[in-house]
Every structure is written in C-alpha cells, then in structure tokens.
Amino acid sequence: MPLVDIQLIEGVFDKSQKQEMIRKVTDVMVEIEGEAMRGVTWVRVQEVASGQWGIGGKGLTTADIKALQNQGR
C-alpha cells in the first residue's frame, strides 16, 4: 500500500485545502494503478511549526509562505 506524506508549514492551508490535497493525491494513485488502490492509499498531512522548516539556510515562517502565495495570485 502506498503511503504519501505531505509536509506543510502550519497555518498556511486550511482544512478544506488539506482535504483536497488528500483527495487529489489519492485520485492520482488510482489513475496510475487502478481503482483497487483507492482503499489502500494512505495520505498523511503533517504540519511543521512556523520557523522550523528551512530552505537555503533560512527558516521559513507561515508569513513567508503566505507572501509567496500572494505573489502567485
């Protein structure tokens, strides 16, 4: 059974967005391997505390990620 971990900085995505991620990741597995995968595909959403995730030597915060989201809109 596949297990997919989605790791996010806390406070960036709301409950409905996380549910959509779970649904879409499951749908992709079903698309690749067939409907039998739906019931055995595990998707786990884990949130990391703001500032506890780093890229390029800099800890990212919830505010940093929200600013990036706003740039893309």
Side-chain angles (χ1 to χ4, degrees), residues 2 6-8 15-16 18-19 28 30 35-37 39-40 46 48 50 54 57 60 63 65 68 72:
I6 301 173
Q7 296 190 21
L8 309 168
K15 182 178 179 177
S16 67
K18 289 182 269 188
Q19 288 297 313
V28 167
V30 169
E35 189 61 39
M37 295 302 290
V40 296
Q46 296 180 317
V48 177
S50 181
L60 295 176
I65 301 303
L68 288 172

Side-chain angles (χ1 to χ4, degrees), residues 19-42:
Q19 288 297 313
E20 183 177 2
M21 290 176 203
I22 292 168
R23 183 181 51 78
K24 286 185 175 185
V25 167
T26 302
D27 288 346
V28 167
M29 291 304 299
V30 169
E31 189 177 312
I32 294 168
E33 290 292 327
E35 189 61 39
M37 295 302 290
R38 187 170 305 280
V40 296
T41 299
W42 295 32

Side-chain angles (χ1 to χ4, degrees), residues 8-14 17-18 47-54 58-70 73:
L8 309 168
I9 294 175
E10 69 183 357
V12 175
F13 298 97
D14 64 29
Q17 290 170 313
K18 289 182 269 188
E47 292 188 296
V48 177
S50 181
Q52 299 300 304
W53 185 315
K58 178 184 184 289
L60 295 176
T61 65
T62 302
D64 294 330
I65 301 303
K66 288 189 177 256
L68 288 172
Q69 286 177 320
N70 289 333
R73 292 182 183 165

